[in-house]
């Protein structure tokens, strides 16, 4: 088995999707002056909700809608605490992460009466879309075709978000709120409404990220299955400077490390070593971006005050 081949690119595209979706959600919050560190908990809630929705309805569409709805409720809790009560957004974000972890662990026992993981052999995961014409092209067909709908949605969301911030009036207003919320309010902009809307859309994207994890990749739920992807998404957002296309590139880098860590397990390397590769890259990225990250977080907190 070769270490680098075209199948690694296809695996990277699949692995990058949860990170990309969550990072785009974090970018939405960052652009309106909110530094949301609760992405990890939101993805985990979305992953569990997607399994619950699929189990009780048998419909993948309803499962995705249920995952988005439940994650939005958690996002509204974050919005109420940070915007309504003026609580520290870092503290609230960490609390959301622990709440998501504890609540999904409890709900796994309460709903399915199992510990550790839930798997149903009769549960159908997200379909793998075969794109007509493209699927028959050598190499390109193997890379681009055969992914779940959420994979294509993630890349489309990055393009649409870039268009939103650069070509729409609402996008310009959101950027203005992020730069200086007080000045934006003095001009008559609905800063609070835009911030809440951004947090809600972040919840939708994180819900889709969780659904891709539990229905698009493995069709099961395990406790803590996000395994730090929310924090990696946060770093990807900072590495991409909260720019949708920059986030697309940085997320692809982290997705490559994730796919490479799985590939290296086939070379008889210890799984503990291969599993740490994405997080080593995360630490390295944080080291080189420590000044930019600190200034970004600081400016986000200042603009909301």
């Amino acid at each position: 088995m070769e270490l680098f081949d075209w199948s690694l690119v296809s695996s990277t595209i699949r692995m990058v999707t949860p990170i990309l979706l969550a990072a785009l959600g974090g970018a939405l919050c960052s652009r309106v002056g909110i530094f949301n560190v609760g992405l990890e908990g939101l993805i985990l809630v979305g992953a569990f909700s997607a399994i619950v929705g699929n189990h009780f309805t048998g419909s993948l569409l309803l499962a995705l809608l249920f995952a988005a709805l439940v994650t939005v409720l958690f996002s509204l809790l974050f919005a109420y605490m940070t915007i309504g009560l003026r609580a520290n957004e870092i503290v609230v974000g960490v609390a959301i992460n622990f709440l998501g972890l504890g609540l999904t662990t409890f709900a796994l026992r309460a709903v399915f009466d199992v510990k550790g993981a839930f798997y149903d052999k009769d549960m159908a995961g997200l379909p793998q879309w075969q794109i007509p014409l493209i699927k028959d092209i050598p190499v390109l067909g193997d890379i681009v075709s055969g992914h779940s709908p959420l994979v294509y949605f993630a890349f489309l969301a990055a393009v649409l978000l870039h268009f939103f911030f650069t070509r729409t009036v609402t996008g310009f207003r959101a950027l203005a709120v992020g730069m200086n919320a007080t000045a934006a309010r003095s001009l008559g902009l609905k800063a609070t409404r835009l911030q809440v809307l951004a947090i809600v859309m972040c919840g939708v994207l994180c819900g889709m990220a969780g659904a891709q994890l539990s229905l698009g990749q493995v069709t099961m739920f395990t406790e803590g299955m996000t395994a730090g992807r929310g924090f990696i998404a946060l770093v990807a957002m900072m590495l991409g400077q909260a720019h949708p296309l920059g986030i697309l590139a940085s997320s692809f880098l982290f997705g490559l490390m994730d796919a490479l860590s799985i590939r290296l397990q086939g070379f008889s390397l210890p799984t503990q070593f291969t599993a740490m590769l994405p997080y080593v890259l995360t630490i390295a990225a944080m080291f080189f971006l420590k000044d930019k990250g600190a200034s970004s977080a600081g400016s986000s907190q200042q603009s909301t005050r």
Side-chain angles (χ1 to χ4, degrees):
M1 182 177 62
E2 296 181 4
L3 181 59
F4 297 100
D5 55 19
W6 292 114
S7 64
L8 180 64
V9 180
S10 178
S11 179
T12 299
I13 293 175
R14 186 173 61 256
M15 293 295 180
V16 78
T17 302
I19 298 173
L20 175 58
L21 286 170
L24 291 175
L28 270 170
C29 293
S30 178
R31 287 296 190 174
V32 295
I34 302 292
F35 192 66
N36 190 351
V37 299
L39 302 180
E40 177 83 359
L42 295 178
I43 300 174
L44 192 59
V45 167
F48 180 76
S49 301
I51 289 292
V52 172
N54 194 9
H55 176 75
F56 286 103
T57 66
S59 169
L60 289 170
L61 178 60
L62 291 178
L64 294 179
L65 292 176
F66 185 70
L69 175 62
V70 175
T71 315
V72 164
L73 292 178
F74 272 76
S75 296
L76 288 175
L77 176 62
F78 176 84
Y80 174 71
M81 297 293 290
T82 56
I83 300 175
L85 300 182
R86 300 284 185 176
N88 185 286
E89 54 201 22
I90 304 296
V91 175
V92 176
V94 172
I96 290 292
N97 289 332
F98 282 110
L99 178 62
L101 178 61
L103 194 58
T104 52
T105 301
F106 170 77
L108 185 64
R109 291 162 170 77
V111 177
F112 299 113
D113 195 25
V114 295
K115 295 181 179 180
F118 172 77
Y119 171 74
D120 184 358
K121 60 182 178 61
D122 298 323
M123 181 180 292
L126 293 175
Q128 307 300 313
W129 280 0
Q130 300 294 334
I131 304 177
L133 300 180
I134 294 181
K135 67 178 181 179
D136 299 323
I137 302 176
V139 180
L140 181 63
D142 295 334
I143 295 175
V144 177
S145 184
H147 298 289
S148 75
L150 291 181
V151 172
Y152 303 109
F153 171 74
F155 288 90
L156 178 62
V159 176
L160 292 179
L161 196 58
H162 173 67
F163 178 84
F164 171 74
F165 283 131
T166 58
R167 293 291 186 272
T168 66
V169 175
T170 305
F172 293 145
R173 290 174 176 173
L175 293 177
V177 170
M179 291 178 182
N180 194 315
T182 303
R185 289 189 179 93
S186 69
L187 295 175
L189 298 183
K190 305 294 185 181
T192 301
R193 182 180 301 176
L194 288 170
Q195 288 177 329
V196 172
L197 180 61
I199 294 175
V200 167
M201 291 307 300
C202 175
V204 172
L205 291 172
C206 288
M208 295 301 98
Q212 170 63 18
L213 272 181
S214 60
L215 292 179
Q217 294 185 2
V218 293
T219 319
M220 65 180 296
F221 178 82
T222 60
E223 296 178 9
M225 69 181 303
T226 48
R229 285 180 176 86
F231 299 108
I232 293 178
L234 193 64
V235 176
M237 183 270 291
M238 296 168 65
L239 185 62
Q241 296 295 292
H243 189 286
L245 300 185
I247 290 172
L248 180 60
S250 60
S251 297
F252 195 89
L253 179 62
F254 287 108
L256 176 62
M257 289 296 101
D258 206 357
L260 192 60
S261 67
I262 297 177
R263 178 66 61 89
L264 286 173
Q265 294 178 15
F267 290 85
S268 301
L269 291 175
T271 56
Q272 294 84 357
F273 173 78
T274 58
M276 74 180 186
L277 285 180
Y279 309 104
V280 170
L281 180 62
T282 302
I283 294 174
M286 289 298 294
F287 176 78
F288 288 110
L289 291 172
K290 59 183 184 298
D291 296 331
K292 295 180 181 179
S295 62
S296 175
S299 61
S300 297
Q301 291 180 346
Q302 186 177 13
S303 63
T304 57
R305 296 294 181 250

